[in-house]
Amino acid sequence: MCSRLVSAPCLVLAAPLLAGVVVPSPLRAMSHEPQCRGTLLQLLVQEQGQARSERFRFNLRLEAEAASAAAALDQLNSRLDALRQAFNPLVQDSLVVSAPSTFPIGSAVPDSRTRAATTISGQVRRSDYDTLIQRAGRLPGVRLQGMTSLASASGQQVLEERLLKRALERGQRQADRTASALGLRRTSLLRIDQRSRPPVRALAMAADASSRFRPEEAPLPIGSINLALDYCLS
């Protein structure tokens, strides 16, 4: 958290806003300009927290290799069909498959081969976390590039509300301490400017592990909130 003091008297040129609330017109904004006839304290407060993982977004790379581009693409299609059969019962909504790419490998012309590759993503429920990892590790040409922990909509809302409350309480404590240090008694909150990021954190793991993976051991979704707070101290 950082802060800035502006000597009194001063006038804040922004209307008091909560996140997502817009003042309809310039005239209304001017009529509601908060005045500070004391010392203006400007704080930047950040809070961070975790939510429960309810689902996971996975990212895979699928590859095939053959003597020609056509043969490599045929093998890639075959492997993609096997992957769909293994994953479709687990996936929420549907798989997202990118257009394939091909490129030569090897420098010697008689031994040159072609590799075809595509990327695949989707989401699975918490209960299917380990099953997806195990199936990915047993399919030929599949490399699990990462899993992203996701909170439910309600879990994310609860986290954001908790972080907002903590940030406001922290800002108020800092304002009270600053006022006390200056020999002042009153603190009035003039303005709130909220910026937050969704609670998401990526998890990279190998796809060929044989032990079981537990969703409760995965990194939790992380959310953060940033508030710019203006207080009038008097």
Side-chain angles (χ1 to χ4, degrees), residues 23 38 46 62 67 69-70 89 104 106 108 130 132 149 153-154 220:
V23 178
Q46 182 182 66
L62 180 63
D130 177 70
L132 181 132
S149 302
S154 60
L220 295 173

Side-chain angles (χ1 to χ4, degrees), residues 207-231:
D208 57 354
S210 59
S211 60
R212 291 184 59 83
F213 292 91
R214 301 172 181 174
E216 62 270 18
E217 295 176 345
L220 295 173
I222 292 179
S224 65
I225 189 171
N226 296 275
L227 295 183
L229 304 173
D230 288 357
Y231 290 89

Side-chain angles (χ1 to χ4, degrees), residues 6-139:
V6 180
S7 58
C10 59
L11 177 66
V12 181
L13 298 181
L17 299 179
L18 291 174
V21 180
V22 180
V23 178
S25 68
L27 290 178
R28 183 176 177 182
M30 292 178 63
S31 65
H32 285 77
E33 289 176 348
Q35 294 185 358
C36 177
R37 303 195 180 280
T39 299
L40 178 64
L41 174 65
Q42 297 178 322
L43 301 177
L44 294 178
V45 181
Q46 182 182 66
E47 288 290 339
Q48 192 174 79
Q50 296 176 326
R52 184 178 186 271
S53 301
E54 292 294 342
R55 51 200 169 91
F56 295 87
R57 180 185 296 114
F58 61 87
N59 292 283
L60 307 171
R61 181 176 174 85
L62 180 63
E63 295 182 347
E65 184 180 316
S68 66
L73 285 172
D74 286 342
Q75 187 184 81
L76 187 70
N77 284 330
S78 177
R79 290 181 172 182
L80 182 58
D81 287 341
L83 186 146
R84 287 191 177 109
Q85 292 178 13
F87 279 24
N88 278 340
L90 307 176
V91 174
Q92 293 185 303
D93 297 328
S94 60
L95 292 171
V96 178
V97 182
S98 67
S101 60
T102 59
F103 48 94
I105 55 175
S107 56
V109 175
D111 298 328
S112 64
R113 295 173 67 80
T114 299
R115 181 173 296 160
T118 185
T119 58
I120 302 157
S121 62
Q123 294 185 20
V124 294
R125 293 175 291 272
R126 180 183 176 90
S127 58
D128 292 322
Y129 174 82
D130 177 70
T131 303
L132 181 132
I133 295 171
Q134 300 298 335
R135 291 187 183 184
R138 287 162 174 75
L139 290 173

